Amino acid sequence: MKSYLFLLLAIFFEIVATTFLKKSEQFTQLKPSVITIVGYVLAFYFLSLTLRTIPVGVAYAIWSGVGIVLITFVGIIMFRQTPDLPAIIGLILITSGVIVINLFSKMAAH
């Protein structure tokens, strides 16, 4: 269970880092650039802790899938980015994939 807490922290820091990457304006703004770098370092640190017990493919699928869905919501709320129908369908498929891995895969750590 601790591994999933580390994975949630990795996802959280990746979302923070990606949000501030947008705000860094190609690393021309100091504060958002620093937050981006620190966020990605922490995201990869917690992802590495996750990999002690969760297989790399499963952990990465969850990390990237949940991160994509959540950063899309951040884009909608903070940057007024509206996903079109194909994007919404893709997000549903990504979410479905993460659910299938967690519920049915024998690879996933339980």
Side-chain angles (χ1 to χ4, degrees):
M1 203 62 180
K2 190 164 60 169
S3 292
Y4 281 99
L5 174 63
F6 292 147
L7 186 55
L8 287 175
L9 287 169
I11 292 166
F12 170 78
F13 285 114
E14 188 236 352
I15 291 167
V16 169
T18 302
T19 301
F20 280 88
L21 180 61
K22 169 87 170 138
K23 292 180 174 233
S24 76
E25 298 179 22
Q26 296 78 47
F27 290 102
T28 61
Q29 303 298 314
L30 180 62
K31 185 176 178 181
S33 297
V34 170
I35 293 171
T36 297
I37 293 165
V38 170
Y40 280 126
V41 167
L42 289 170
F44 281 109
Y45 171 72
F46 283 109
L47 183 60
S48 74
L49 295 179
T50 300
L51 298 179
R52 290 179 181 168
T53 56
I54 300 175
V56 67
V58 173
Y60 191 75
I62 295 168
W63 182 60
S64 59
V66 173
I68 288 167
V69 171
L70 293 178
I71 201 65
T72 300
F73 286 116
V74 170
I76 292 168
I77 294 165
M78 292 186 68
F79 304 117
R80 311 264 189 255
Q81 299 170 341
T82 306
D84 58 8
L85 183 60
I88 293 169
I89 292 169
L91 291 168
I92 291 168
L93 291 171
I94 290 167
T95 303
S96 300
V98 170
I99 291 169
V100 167
I101 288 170
N102 278 292
L103 291 179
F104 302 110
S105 174
K106 290 181 177 29
M107 281 185 66
H110 295 285

